Amino acid sequence: MTPFTSLTAPVAFLDRANVDTDQIIPKQFLKRVERTGFGEFLFFDWRFNADGTLNVDFELNTPDMAGAGILVAGKNFGSGSSREHAPWALMDYGFRVIIAPSFADIFYNNCFKNGLLPIVLDDPSIELLRSAASGERYVLTVDLQTQSITDGKGIEIAFLVDAFRRHCLLNGLDDIGLTLEHADDISAYESMRPSRMPSLAGQR
Amino acid sequence: MSAKTMFQKIWDAHIVRQDAGQPAILYIDLHLVHEVTSAQAFDGLRLAGRKVRRPELTVATMDHNVPTTDRSLPILDQISKKQMDVLAANCAEFGIELYDLHSKRQGVVHIIGPELGLTQPGMTIVCGDSHTSTHGAFGALAFGIGTSEVEHVLATQCLQQTLPRTMEVRVDGALSPGVTAKDIILGIIGRLGTAGATGYVIEYTGEAIRAMSMEARMTVCNMSIEAGARAGMVAPDDTTFAYLDGKPHAPKGADLEAAMDYWRSLPTDAGAAFDELLTIDASTLAPFVSWGTNPGQVSPITAFVPDPDDEPTESDRASLVRALDYMGLKPGAPLNGLPIERVFIGSCTNGRLEDLRRAARIVDGQKVASTVKAMVVPGSWEVKRLAEQEGLDKTFLAAGFEWREAGCSMCLGMNPDILQPQERCASTSNRNFEGRQGKGGRTHLVSPEMAAAAAIAGHLVDVREWMAKS
Ligand code: SF4
């Protein structure tokens, strides 16, 4: 996994609650068998009009949000389908940090597996960022080492993140490798598992 | 020993390792795989030179983008075909049992697991699909995972998990005629909202749940994720054991006795504490219908489209305006009588035999309205076979429904079964998100009975009045 230490990048604001993964990456783009190349389809049904032209009314399509690396979103971001294509699309588009008042469970988890940092901030802090940006191009620095968000103009917000997840993200650790360090424990568990448990052995 | 919830018992029984300050490493008893969320996981294994640790605890099927038309015809969508071919190649390479398009056991992954008897009480079950919660109906801990975790389970047969909180949802009382398990779960999601159970595992308890068949319990557990829950569960009882009896992979003889000892030990101990409690009185429920763009936006069929001006905050108001605009609905309009153009009966929520039976009872001897295109998509090949044995296909066909092959179909419209922009659909599926059933399509989530009645009437109806008439 790509490590994440800190990022200084422009911010995009998407002021909508309950943005589901069907919106983040619509199902017609789930047919690829690779992890890459999903960025151009991010928020597809919102970004583009029915005739394929750019929807200029959509938040992310305004010029000052171009090149954004940090997305500030509404509550319950990433609800619905478990598709990991959602974090893949967000990262491929250029985002490395998502800030929201709350996230859906599976999405939140999927972010960490890909080096995308989801940050939970309370509503007042998000409001503070929104008003500081006041519709202009706005740059933030997100530092995972110090767990802080700063704008270089006086705003400094601390955020919380699970210590183990932070450690994995800072070091770009591979979860599977970590678990396999305990292969002996897995084998020991398996030797105790009752043989009556369902198995597909002998089906093929 | 202190009193434990069923969830805690299953969790504890599956801990391979727990280090302080780290997630637990949990053993996974059954891993279900489908074509959309697995390709990149198999790729990851190959890149790292890893194997599937326990191929015999892994089973794959094709469901999400399979065509539901004649299986002997070639697949026209080449990209879908490639995804299915890649799954077949991966299963062959890694030694995984696959129920492909032509298998008599093919079907929606959450329908075939229970059908095969692979889903059993006390197990941990995962799948790269959020509706894995369905399997919790058997008293299993079952939840959806992302593709990186699919790869993790393939490689290690384990998952790293942090301990969720627990919520008891107690459904007391008895359902009135015409009100179903689907209405209970829509009612619960309406109460909790789409994030109300985030971080929780729900156990459904109470008289109404105990009175339910396994299929109805699956409908309830299936939609737990729509309230944000990690998983939903129902304690196993004689209904569960009777369902499992004789299923292909269910234990037999001495194994069954040993299994039963474990299964009977699973229900939550008296006095065990949940972190949250929600109670619902089933007898007060009416049939529910969704009117918005998430499954929390539901009301009884007797209600009216809500007014954004009644919302507490500006942002709630704005999102309601957006939802109603997308759905093409006016505040204050009655839900009963809303014209629809499409009907979809199927999905892992309501695509099982009992669902089809109940819908067939409504349409028997009637005709689908001339303004409506209606389809039934059995959840699995086996559901289809059993339904045809009972002649349900004839009932639906005679009424003017299409009778399709098994798959996810219009639940998410990855195959050719989709809504056109602005088409309004009464659907027995589980998600009414924008574009879920096709870009611009308008989904109203309902029970199979409600969907069937809407197909005949040409508009949403209160199925209770409908049943009184016929
Ligand atoms: S039927 Fe719908 S919800 Fe169920 S697995 Fe298929 S796409 Fe997902």
Side-chain angles (χ1 to χ4, degrees):
Chain A
M1 181 184 67
T2 352
F4 183 101
T5 44
S6 83
L7 173 77
T8 300
V11 185
F13 291 89
L14 183 64
D15 186 17
R16 304 187 185 202
N18 302 312
V19 171
D20 57 77
T21 54
D22 271 83
Q23 298 320 317
I24 297 174
I25 179 86
K27 50 42 201 347
Q28 63 268 35
F29 308 113
L30 301 186
K31 296 180 184 181
R32 298 172 64 86
V33 292
E34 300 85 24
R35 276 176 200 255
T36 52
F38 290 98
E40 54 180 306
F41 310 121
L42 181 74
F43 298 121
F44 191 85
D45 290 350
W46 288 343
R47 264 167 72 207
F48 300 99
N49 296 313
D51 61 3
T53 55
L54 205 67
N55 172 11
V56 290
D57 295 334
F58 180 55
E59 291 94 317
L60 299 195
N61 286 342
T62 59
D64 44 282
M65 294 208 184
I70 299 167
L71 181 67
V72 177
K75 65 179 180 203
N76 195 27
F77 188 81
S79 56
S81 156
S82 63
R83 59 189 69 164
E84 200 162 311
H85 311 67
W88 296 338
L90 286 159
M91 286 189 76
D92 201 53
Y93 185 85
F95 292 115
R96 292 298 307 277
V97 176
I98 316 286
I99 299 173
S102 60
F103 292 92
D105 211 29
I106 305 179
F107 175 83
Y108 185 75
N109 209 22
N110 283 342
C111 286
F112 283 102
K113 310 285 177 194
N114 290 281
L116 178 64
L117 174 63
I119 298 178
V120 177
L121 285 190
D122 57 13
D123 288 315
S125 303
I126 288 185
E127 210 28 66
L128 186 66
L129 294 176
R130 201 185 303 282
S131 54
S134 65
E136 306 270 293
R137 191 170 175 82
Y138 185 56
V139 173
L140 283 176
T141 297
V142 173
D143 192 326
L144 183 56
Q145 295 274 7
T146 58
Q147 295 182 222
S148 68
I149 301 171
T150 47
D151 71 351
K153 291 183 258 168
I155 287 187
E156 178 158 3
I157 301 170
F159 63 89
L160 292 173
V161 54
D162 172 76
F164 181 71
R165 287 187 146 139
R166 173 172 171 273
H167 170 73
C168 291
L169 207 49
L170 282 173
N171 298 291
L173 297 181
D174 162 28
D175 270 7
I176 299 179
L178 288 180
T179 300
L180 286 175
E181 284 174 16
H182 305 301
D184 290 350
D185 294 308
I186 304 175
S187 300
Y189 183 93
E190 284 176 331
S191 68
M192 288 163 37
R193 262 183 106 239
S195 60
R196 64 175 161 76
M197 296 299 281
S199 151
L200 281 299
Q203 294 275 303
R204 295 173 71 84
Chain B
M1 215 179 63
S2 64
K4 283 186 182 182
T5 61
M6 173 166 62
F7 160 76
Q8 191 73 49
K9 293 180 192 182
I10 300 173
W11 176 274
D12 290 350
H14 287 84
I15 294 179
V16 166
R17 189 183 171 100
Q18 172 82 73
D19 290 309
Q22 291 188 24
I25 299 180
L26 279 195
Y27 200 77
I28 301 302
D29 291 318
L30 178 66
H31 185 192
L32 306 161
V33 172
H34 66 83
E35 77 276 23
V36 178
T37 56
S38 65
Q40 294 87 349
F42 284 111
D43 252 0
L45 287 186
R46 257 188 303 268
L47 275 174
R50 288 173 176 143
K51 290 197 158 28
V52 175
R53 183 178 178 94
R54 299 293 301 271
E56 77 280 16
L57 304 185
T58 314
V59 62
T61 192
M62 298 171 175
D63 52 4
H64 280 66
N65 57 27
V66 303
T68 55
T69 44
D70 188 347
R71 287 281 148 90
S72 62
L73 298 174
I75 298 175
L76 297 176
D77 178 346
Q78 288 309 308
I79 318 176
S80 288
K81 180 169 184 309
K82 176 165 179 214
Q83 208 166 44
M84 291 182 246
D85 291 347
V86 165
L87 178 64
N90 283 329
C91 288
E93 178 181 344
F94 290 97
I96 293 167
E97 177 73 7
L98 167 69
Y99 299 112
D100 71 5
L101 222 48
H102 304 287
S103 160
K104 297 271 181 280
R105 282 301 187 176
Q106 178 266 343
V108 179
V109 65
H110 309 309
I111 297 206
I112 67 170
E115 246 172 31
L116 288 163
L118 287 169
T119 302
Q120 296 174 18
M123 292 172 69
T124 46
I125 302 176
V126 297
C127 174
D129 189 282
S130 58
H131 291 101
T132 309
S133 56
T134 312
H135 307 264
F138 290 79
L141 175 60
F143 50 91
I145 55 179
T147 297
S148 294
E149 291 178 312
V150 169
E151 183 180 338
H152 192 284
V153 179
L154 289 172
T156 68
Q157 201 58 35
C158 294
L159 259 187
Q160 300 181 2
Q161 284 287 301
T162 46
L163 187 69
R165 283 170 291 180
T166 54
M167 181 186 296
E168 178 183 6
V169 174
R170 195 164 64 218
V171 192
D172 294 318
L175 287 170
S176 349
V179 187
T180 70
K182 180 67 164 283
D183 303 303
I184 289 186
I185 189 62
L186 288 176
I188 291 170
I189 300 162
R191 284 270 293 273
L192 287 171
T194 51
T198 301
Y200 288 88
V201 166
I202 297 176
E203 182 179 338
Y204 300 96
T205 64
E207 207 186 315
I209 302 290
R210 293 268 73 91
M212 279 181 191
S213 69
M214 282 317 293
E215 298 200 355
R217 291 177 191 179
M218 284 188 250
T219 299
V220 171
C221 288
N222 173 274
M223 289 189 73
S224 304
I225 179 72
E226 308 313 337
R230 196 92 251 261
M233 333 173 72
V234 173
D237 58 12
D238 288 341
T239 306
T240 321
F241 308 145
Y243 177 98
L244 280 163
D245 186 32
K247 291 278 183 297
H249 287 275
K252 292 168 188 73
D255 280 349
L256 178 60
E257 277 170 43
M260 283 288 248
D261 283 344
Y262 175 49
W263 296 350
R264 288 193 200 284
S265 75
L266 292 169
T268 295
D269 299 329
F274 290 87
D275 298 310
E276 281 293 336
L277 169 69
L278 174 73
T279 54
I280 300 249
D281 181 355
S283 63
T284 61
L285 295 179
F288 270 78
V289 54
S290 72
W291 43 259
T293 52
N294 72 55
Q297 295 178 322
V298 291
S299 296
I301 180 68
T302 48
F304 301 86
V305 176
D307 190 338
D309 290 340
D310 298 340
E311 291 300 298
T313 71
E314 179 48 35
S315 103
D316 289 335
R317 201 191 83 85
S319 53
L320 193 49
V321 167
R322 188 152 47 222
L324 296 187
D325 181 50
Y326 179 87
M327 291 299 291
L329 294 174
K330 295 231 164 8
L335 292 169
N336 197 343
L338 190 67
I340 48 121
E341 290 99 42
R342 300 286 290 269
V343 168
F344 171 66
I345 298 179
S347 88
C348 59
T349 311
N350 281 130
R352 283 171 287 265
L353 186 60
E354 286 175 13
D355 299 312
L356 304 192
R357 275 187 195 145
R358 297 198 321 267
R361 225 170 284 148
I362 303 279
V363 307
D364 194 15
Q366 313 267 359
K367 283 274 180 250
V368 170
S370 60
T371 46
V372 173
K373 194 165 167 269
M375 66 198 280
V376 182
V377 182
S380 70
W381 198 301
E382 179 69 0
V383 167
K384 180 166 185 269
R385 185 183 72 82
L386 294 171
E388 288 176 355
Q389 222 170 48
E390 295 180 12
L392 302 184
D393 56 328
K394 303 220 171 51
T395 308
F396 284 115
L397 286 166
F401 277 83
E402 290 180 44
W403 178 253
R404 296 295 192 91
E405 300 294 333
C408 293
S409 177
M410 215 162 70
C411 174
L412 91 165
M414 269 188 84
N415 74 349
D417 310 336
I418 55 168
L419 294 181
Q420 297 308 308
Q422 267 121 59
E423 260 188 332
R424 195 178 290 287
C425 178
S427 176
T428 68
S429 55
N430 43 49
R431 285 188 174 140
N432 50 342
F433 295 149
E434 286 182 30
R436 171 80 178 183
Q437 295 192 293
K439 186 166 176 166
R442 295 164 171 167
T443 304
H444 294 276
L445 302 174
V446 288
S447 70
E449 286 87 334
M450 287 282 286
I456 307 297
H459 52 79
L460 295 178
V461 286
D462 186 337
V463 71
R464 294 171 302 180
E465 294 163 14
W466 190 267
M467 287 160 76
K469 261 190 293 178
S470 53

